PDB file of all heavy atoms in Angstrom:
ATOM      1  N   SER A 157     154.325 103.382  91.220  1.00 47.00           N
ATOM      2  CA  SER A 157     155.566 103.673  90.492  1.00 47.00           C
ATOM      3  C   SER A 157     155.339 104.637  89.328  1.00 47.00           C
ATOM      4  O   SER A 157     156.131 105.544  89.109  1.00 47.00           O
ATOM      5  CB  SER A 157     156.183 102.369  89.974  1.00 47.00           C
ATOM      6  OG  SER A 157     155.276 101.710  89.117  1.00 47.00           O
ATOM      7  N   LYS A 158     154.202 104.469  88.599  1.00 53.00           N
ATOM      8  CA  LYS A 158     153.993 105.277  87.403  1.00 53.00           C
ATOM      9  C   LYS A 158     153.841 106.759  87.704  1.00 53.00           C
ATOM     10  O   LYS A 158     154.486 107.588  87.041  1.00 53.00           O
ATOM     11  CB  LYS A 158     152.782 104.763  86.633  1.00 53.00           C
ATOM     12  CG  LYS A 158     153.057 103.441  85.911  1.00 53.00           C
ATOM     13  CD  LYS A 158     151.850 103.002  85.117  1.00 53.00           C
ATOM     14  CE  LYS A 158     152.140 101.707  84.367  1.00 53.00           C
ATOM     15  NZ  LYS A 158     150.977 101.243  83.587  1.00 53.00           N
ATOM     16  N   PRO A 159     152.972 107.166  88.710  1.00 55.00           N
ATOM     17  CA  PRO A 159     152.867 108.605  88.967  1.00 55.00           C
ATOM     18  C   PRO A 159     154.192 109.234  89.365  1.00 55.00           C
ATOM     19  O   PRO A 159     154.504 110.357  88.952  1.00 55.00           O
ATOM     20  CB  PRO A 159     151.846 108.679  90.109  1.00 55.00           C
ATOM     21  CG  PRO A 159     151.054 107.431  90.000  1.00 55.00           C
ATOM     22  CD  PRO A 159     152.015 106.407  89.508  1.00 55.00           C
ATOM     23  N   GLN A 160     154.992 108.508  90.156  1.00 59.00           N
ATOM     24  CA  GLN A 160     156.277 109.054  90.578  1.00 59.00           C
ATOM     25  C   GLN A 160     157.213 109.221  89.389  1.00 59.00           C
ATOM     26  O   GLN A 160     157.886 110.245  89.234  1.00 59.00           O
ATOM     27  CB  GLN A 160     156.907 108.139  91.630  1.00 59.00           C
ATOM     28  CG  GLN A 160     156.107 108.071  92.917  1.00 59.00           C
ATOM     29  CD  GLN A 160     156.759 107.182  93.943  1.00 59.00           C
ATOM     30  OE1 GLN A 160     157.980 107.027  93.936  1.00 59.00           O
ATOM     31  NE2 GLN A 160     155.955 106.626  94.834  1.00 59.00           N
ATOM     32  N   ASN A 161     157.263 108.201  88.537  1.00 61.00           N
ATOM     33  CA  ASN A 161     158.121 108.301  87.356  1.00 61.00           C
ATOM     34  C   ASN A 161     157.650 109.403  86.425  1.00 61.00           C
ATOM     35  O   ASN A 161     158.452 110.155  85.862  1.00 61.00           O
ATOM     36  CB  ASN A 161     158.138 106.968  86.613  1.00 61.00           C
ATOM     37  CG  ASN A 161     158.794 105.865  87.434  1.00 61.00           C
ATOM     38  OD1 ASN A 161     159.625 106.149  88.299  1.00 61.00           O
ATOM     39  ND2 ASN A 161     158.420 104.624  87.175  1.00 61.00           N
ATOM     40  N   ASN A 162     156.305 109.503  86.275  1.00 76.00           N
ATOM     41  CA  ASN A 162     155.763 110.535  85.388  1.00 76.00           C
ATOM     42  C   ASN A 162     156.056 111.929  85.925  1.00 76.00           C
ATOM     43  O   ASN A 162     156.391 112.832  85.160  1.00 76.00           O
ATOM     44  CB  ASN A 162     154.253 110.346  85.231  1.00 76.00           C
ATOM     45  CG  ASN A 162     153.911 109.102  84.437  1.00 76.00           C
ATOM     46  OD1 ASN A 162     154.753 108.575  83.706  1.00 76.00           O
ATOM     47  ND2 ASN A 162     152.678 108.629  84.581  1.00 76.00           N
ATOM     48  N   ILE A 163     155.902 112.112  87.241  1.00 70.00           N
ATOM     49  CA  ILE A 163     156.119 113.449  87.795  1.00 70.00           C
ATOM     50  C   ILE A 163     157.572 113.864  87.683  1.00 70.00           C
ATOM     51  O   ILE A 163     157.881 115.047  87.465  1.00 70.00           O
ATOM     52  CB  ILE A 163     155.637 113.509  89.261  1.00 70.00           C
ATOM     53  CG1 ILE A 163     155.437 114.973  89.683  1.00 70.00           C
ATOM     54  CG2 ILE A 163     156.584 112.795  90.201  1.00 70.00           C
ATOM     55  CD1 ILE A 163     154.305 115.660  88.978  1.00 70.00           C
ATOM     56  N   VAL A 164     158.482 112.901  87.806  1.00 74.00           N
ATOM     57  CA  VAL A 164     159.905 113.216  87.642  1.00 74.00           C
ATOM     58  C   VAL A 164     160.176 113.686  86.219  1.00 74.00           C
ATOM     59  O   VAL A 164     160.895 114.684  85.988  1.00 74.00           O
ATOM     60  CB  VAL A 164     160.765 111.984  87.987  1.00 74.00           C
ATOM     61  CG1 VAL A 164     162.230 112.234  87.584  1.00 74.00           C
ATOM     62  CG2 VAL A 164     160.673 111.667  89.470  1.00 74.00           C
ATOM     63  N   GLU A 165     159.595 112.986  85.255  1.00 78.00           N
ATOM     64  CA  GLU A 165     159.784 113.371  83.858  1.00 78.00           C
ATOM     65  C   GLU A 165     159.169 114.730  83.580  1.00 78.00           C
ATOM     66  O   GLU A 165     159.727 115.547  82.831  1.00 78.00           O
ATOM     67  CB  GLU A 165     159.160 112.310  82.941  1.00 78.00           C
ATOM     68  CG  GLU A 165     159.852 110.946  83.028  1.00 78.00           C
ATOM     69  CD  GLU A 165     159.133 109.875  82.232  1.00 78.00           C
ATOM     70  OE1 GLU A 165     158.086 110.205  81.631  1.00 78.00           O
ATOM     71  OE2 GLU A 165     159.595 108.719  82.221  1.00 78.00           O
ATOM     72  N   ILE A 166     157.987 114.984  84.177  1.00 73.00           N
ATOM     73  CA  ILE A 166     157.334 116.282  83.971  1.00 73.00           C
ATOM     74  C   ILE A 166     158.184 117.409  84.547  1.00 73.00           C
ATOM     75  O   ILE A 166     158.380 118.463  83.919  1.00 73.00           O
ATOM     76  CB  ILE A 166     155.936 116.278  84.613  1.00 73.00           C
ATOM     77  CG1 ILE A 166     155.007 115.335  83.850  1.00 73.00           C
ATOM     78  CG2 ILE A 166     155.344 117.678  84.655  1.00 73.00           C
ATOM     79  CD1 ILE A 166     153.661 115.117  84.513  1.00 73.00           C
ATOM     80  N   VAL A 167     158.692 117.206  85.769  1.00 74.00           N
ATOM     81  CA  VAL A 167     159.519 118.241  86.406  1.00 74.00           C
ATOM     82  C   VAL A 167     160.747 118.536  85.569  1.00 74.00           C
ATOM     83  O   VAL A 167     161.087 119.709  85.314  1.00 74.00           O
ATOM     84  CB  VAL A 167     159.914 117.807  87.829  1.00 74.00           C
ATOM     85  CG1 VAL A 167     160.954 118.765  88.408  1.00 74.00           C
ATOM     86  CG2 VAL A 167     158.682 117.738  88.718  1.00 74.00           C
ATOM     87  N   LYS A 168     161.400 117.500  85.114  1.00 71.00           N
ATOM     88  CA  LYS A 168     162.630 117.706  84.339  1.00 71.00           C
ATOM     89  C   LYS A 168     162.352 118.355  82.987  1.00 71.00           C
ATOM     90  O   LYS A 168     163.207 119.067  82.450  1.00 71.00           O
ATOM     91  CB  LYS A 168     163.340 116.376  84.130  1.00 71.00           C
ATOM     92  CG  LYS A 168     163.970 115.823  85.407  1.00 71.00           C
ATOM     93  CD  LYS A 168     164.726 114.538  85.122  1.00 71.00           C
ATOM     94  CE  LYS A 168     165.426 114.029  86.378  1.00 71.00           C
ATOM     95  NZ  LYS A 168     166.177 112.772  86.125  1.00 71.00           N
ATOM     96  N   SER A 169     161.158 118.126  82.467  1.00 71.00           N
ATOM     97  CA  SER A 169     160.849 118.649  81.133  1.00 71.00           C
ATOM     98  C   SER A 169     160.781 120.169  81.098  1.00 71.00           C
ATOM     99  O   SER A 169     161.082 120.779  80.070  1.00 71.00           O
ATOM    100  CB  SER A 169     159.532 118.056  80.630  1.00 71.00           C
ATOM    101  OG  SER A 169     158.439 118.511  81.423  1.00 71.00           O
ATOM    102  N   PHE A 170     160.364 120.802  82.209  1.00 65.00           N
ATOM    103  CA  PHE A 170     160.263 122.268  82.158  1.00 65.00           C
ATOM    104  C   PHE A 170     161.192 122.977  83.148  1.00 65.00           C
ATOM    105  O   PHE A 170     161.152 124.188  83.270  1.00 65.00           O
ATOM    106  CB  PHE A 170     158.810 122.720  82.387  1.00 65.00           C
ATOM    107  CG  PHE A 170     158.288 122.483  83.775  1.00 65.00           C
ATOM    108  CD1 PHE A 170     158.510 123.398  84.793  1.00 65.00           C
ATOM    109  CD2 PHE A 170     157.564 121.339  84.055  1.00 65.00           C
ATOM    110  CE1 PHE A 170     158.013 123.176  86.057  1.00 65.00           C
ATOM    111  CE2 PHE A 170     157.064 121.124  85.325  1.00 65.00           C
ATOM    112  CZ  PHE A 170     157.285 122.046  86.330  1.00 65.00           C
ATOM    113  N   THR A 171     162.016 122.223  83.870  1.00 65.00           N
ATOM    114  CA  THR A 171     162.946 122.882  84.794  1.00 65.00           C
ATOM    115  C   THR A 171     164.407 122.640  84.448  1.00 65.00           C
ATOM    116  O   THR A 171     165.282 123.300  85.022  1.00 65.00           O
ATOM    117  CB  THR A 171     162.709 122.377  86.231  1.00 65.00           C
ATOM    118  OG1 THR A 171     162.949 120.971  86.288  1.00 65.00           O
ATOM    119  CG2 THR A 171     161.293 122.679  86.696  1.00 65.00           C
ATOM    120  N   GLN A 172     164.667 121.721  83.547  1.00 66.00           N
ATOM    121  CA  GLN A 172     166.059 121.391  83.246  1.00 66.00           C
ATOM    122  C   GLN A 172     166.772 122.600  82.616  1.00 66.00           C
ATOM    123  O   GLN A 172     166.227 123.262  81.745  1.00 66.00           O
ATOM    124  CB  GLN A 172     166.121 120.183  82.306  1.00 66.00           C
ATOM    125  CG  GLN A 172     167.498 119.564  82.208  1.00 66.00           C
ATOM    126  CD  GLN A 172     167.459 118.248  81.466  1.00 66.00           C
ATOM    127  OE1 GLN A 172     166.475 117.950  80.817  1.00 66.00           O
ATOM    128  NE2 GLN A 172     168.531 117.496  81.561  1.00 66.00           N
ATOM    129  N   ASN A 173     167.955 122.840  83.158  1.00 67.00           N
ATOM    130  CA  ASN A 173     168.831 123.928  82.662  1.00 67.00           C
ATOM    131  C   ASN A 173     168.281 125.317  82.955  1.00 67.00           C
ATOM    132  O   ASN A 173     168.764 126.312  82.390  1.00 67.00           O
ATOM    133  CB  ASN A 173     169.083 123.798  81.144  1.00 67.00           C
ATOM    134  CG  ASN A 173     169.799 122.507  80.805  1.00 67.00           C
ATOM    135  OD1 ASN A 173     170.666 122.032  81.557  1.00 67.00           O
ATOM    136  ND2 ASN A 173     169.440 121.917  79.660  1.00 67.00           N
ATOM    137  N   ASN A 174     167.251 125.394  83.814  1.00 78.00           N
ATOM    138  CA  ASN A 174     166.796 126.717  84.238  1.00 78.00           C
ATOM    139  C   ASN A 174     167.825 127.315  85.208  1.00 78.00           C
ATOM    140  O   ASN A 174     168.520 126.583  85.919  1.00 78.00           O
ATOM    141  CB  ASN A 174     165.436 126.633  84.944  1.00 78.00           C
ATOM    142  CG  ASN A 174     164.283 126.445  83.946  1.00 78.00           C
ATOM    143  OD1 ASN A 174     164.487 126.470  82.743  1.00 78.00           O
ATOM    144  ND2 ASN A 174     163.081 126.251  84.486  1.00 78.00           N
ATOM    145  N   LYS A 175     167.868 128.624  85.238  1.00 84.00           N
ATOM    146  CA  LYS A 175     168.787 129.334  86.138  1.00 84.00           C
ATOM    147  C   LYS A 175     167.962 129.993  87.238  1.00 84.00           C
ATOM    148  O   LYS A 175     166.950 130.634  86.980  1.00 84.00           O
ATOM    149  CB  LYS A 175     169.599 130.393  85.385  1.00 84.00           C
ATOM    150  CG  LYS A 175     170.463 129.816  84.273  1.00 84.00           C
ATOM    151  CD  LYS A 175     171.491 128.821  84.821  1.00 84.00           C
ATOM    152  CE  LYS A 175     172.364 128.261  83.707  1.00 84.00           C
ATOM    153  NZ  LYS A 175     173.335 127.273  84.230  1.00 84.00           N
ATOM    154  N   TYR A 176     168.407 129.787  88.503  1.00 85.00           N
ATOM    155  CA  TYR A 176     167.682 130.330  89.643  1.00 85.00           C
ATOM    156  C   TYR A 176     168.567 131.377  90.322  1.00 85.00           C
ATOM    157  O   TYR A 176     169.520 131.057  91.007  1.00 85.00           O
ATOM    158  CB  TYR A 176     167.313 129.196  90.607  1.00 85.00           C
ATOM    159  CG  TYR A 176     166.479 128.124  89.924  1.00 85.00           C
ATOM    160  CD1 TYR A 176     167.079 126.973  89.431  1.00 85.00           C
ATOM    161  CD2 TYR A 176     165.101 128.285  89.763  1.00 85.00           C
ATOM    162  CE1 TYR A 176     166.321 125.991  88.791  1.00 85.00           C
ATOM    163  CE2 TYR A 176     164.357 127.320  89.130  1.00 85.00           C
ATOM    164  CZ  TYR A 176     164.961 126.172  88.636  1.00 85.00           C
ATOM    165  OH  TYR A 176     164.220 125.225  88.002  1.00 85.00           O
ATOM    166  N   GLU A 177     168.210 132.624  90.043  1.00 85.00           N
ATOM    167  CA  GLU A 177     169.018 133.726  90.537  1.00 85.00           C
ATOM    168  C   GLU A 177     168.511 134.270  91.863  1.00 85.00           C
ATOM    169  O   GLU A 177     169.184 135.091  92.485  1.00 85.00           O
ATOM    170  CB  GLU A 177     169.051 134.859  89.503  1.00 85.00           C
ATOM    171  CG  GLU A 177     169.670 134.411  88.182  1.00 85.00           C
ATOM    172  CD  GLU A 177     169.662 135.525  87.145  1.00 85.00           C
ATOM    173  OE1 GLU A 177     169.075 136.599  87.431  1.00 85.00           O
ATOM    174  OE2 GLU A 177     170.228 135.327  86.067  1.00 85.00           O
ATOM    175  N   SER A 178     167.320 133.872  92.282  1.00 87.00           N
ATOM    176  CA  SER A 178     166.752 134.373  93.550  1.00 87.00           C
ATOM    177  C   SER A 178     165.827 133.314  94.133  1.00 87.00           C
ATOM    178  O   SER A 178     165.434 132.341  93.475  1.00 87.00           O
ATOM    179  CB  SER A 178     165.969 135.668  93.321  1.00 87.00           C
ATOM    180  OG  SER A 178     164.837 135.414  92.492  1.00 87.00           O
ATOM    181  N   GLY A 179     165.483 133.569  95.385  1.00 87.00           N
ATOM    182  CA  GLY A 179     164.531 132.671  96.034  1.00 87.00           C
ATOM    183  C   GLY A 179     163.160 132.734  95.395  1.00 87.00           C
ATOM    184  O   GLY A 179     162.399 131.750  95.400  1.00 87.00           O
ATOM    185  N   GLN A 180     162.846 133.917  94.833  1.00 91.00           N
ATOM    186  CA  GLN A 180     161.555 134.050  94.171  1.00 91.00           C
ATOM    187  C   GLN A 180     161.475 133.153  92.946  1.00 91.00           C
ATOM    188  O   GLN A 180     160.431 132.550  92.675  1.00 91.00           O
ATOM    189  CB  GLN A 180     161.322 135.530  93.782  1.00 91.00           C
ATOM    190  CG  GLN A 180     159.923 135.832  93.283  1.00 91.00           C
ATOM    191  CD  GLN A 180     158.859 135.609  94.343  1.00 91.00           C
ATOM    192  OE1 GLN A 180     159.114 135.822  95.537  1.00 91.00           O
ATOM    193  NE2 GLN A 180     157.681 135.158  93.916  1.00 91.00           N
ATOM    194  N   ASP A 181     162.635 133.098  92.193  1.00 87.00           N
ATOM    195  CA  ASP A 181     162.665 132.189  91.039  1.00 87.00           C
ATOM    196  C   ASP A 181     162.433 130.738  91.487  1.00 87.00           C
ATOM    197  O   ASP A 181     161.718 129.977  90.829  1.00 87.00           O
ATOM    198  CB  ASP A 181     164.008 132.294  90.322  1.00 87.00           C
ATOM    199  CG  ASP A 181     164.200 133.651  89.662  1.00 87.00           C
ATOM    200  OD1 ASP A 181     163.183 134.341  89.441  1.00 87.00           O
ATOM    201  OD2 ASP A 181     165.351 134.011  89.382  1.00 87.00           O
ATOM    202  N   ALA A 182     163.047 130.360  92.592  1.00 87.00           N
ATOM    203  CA  ALA A 182     162.893 128.996  93.106  1.00 87.00           C
ATOM    204  C   ALA A 182     161.447 128.730  93.527  1.00 87.00           C
ATOM    205  O   ALA A 182     160.886 127.653  93.247  1.00 87.00           O
ATOM    206  CB  ALA A 182     163.829 128.782  94.285  1.00 87.00           C
TER     207      ALA A 182
END
Side-chain angles (χ1 to χ4, degrees):
S157 59
K158 287 182 178 180
Q160 295 181 28
N161 294 334
N162 291 341
I163 198 67
V164 170
E165 295 174 359
I166 292 172
V167 171
K168 289 183 177 180
S169 66
F170 68 85
T171 61
Q172 194 170 14
N173 298 324
N174 283 355
K175 299 299 181 181
Y176 302 97
E177 299 178 354
S178 65
Q180 189 64 33
D181 293 340

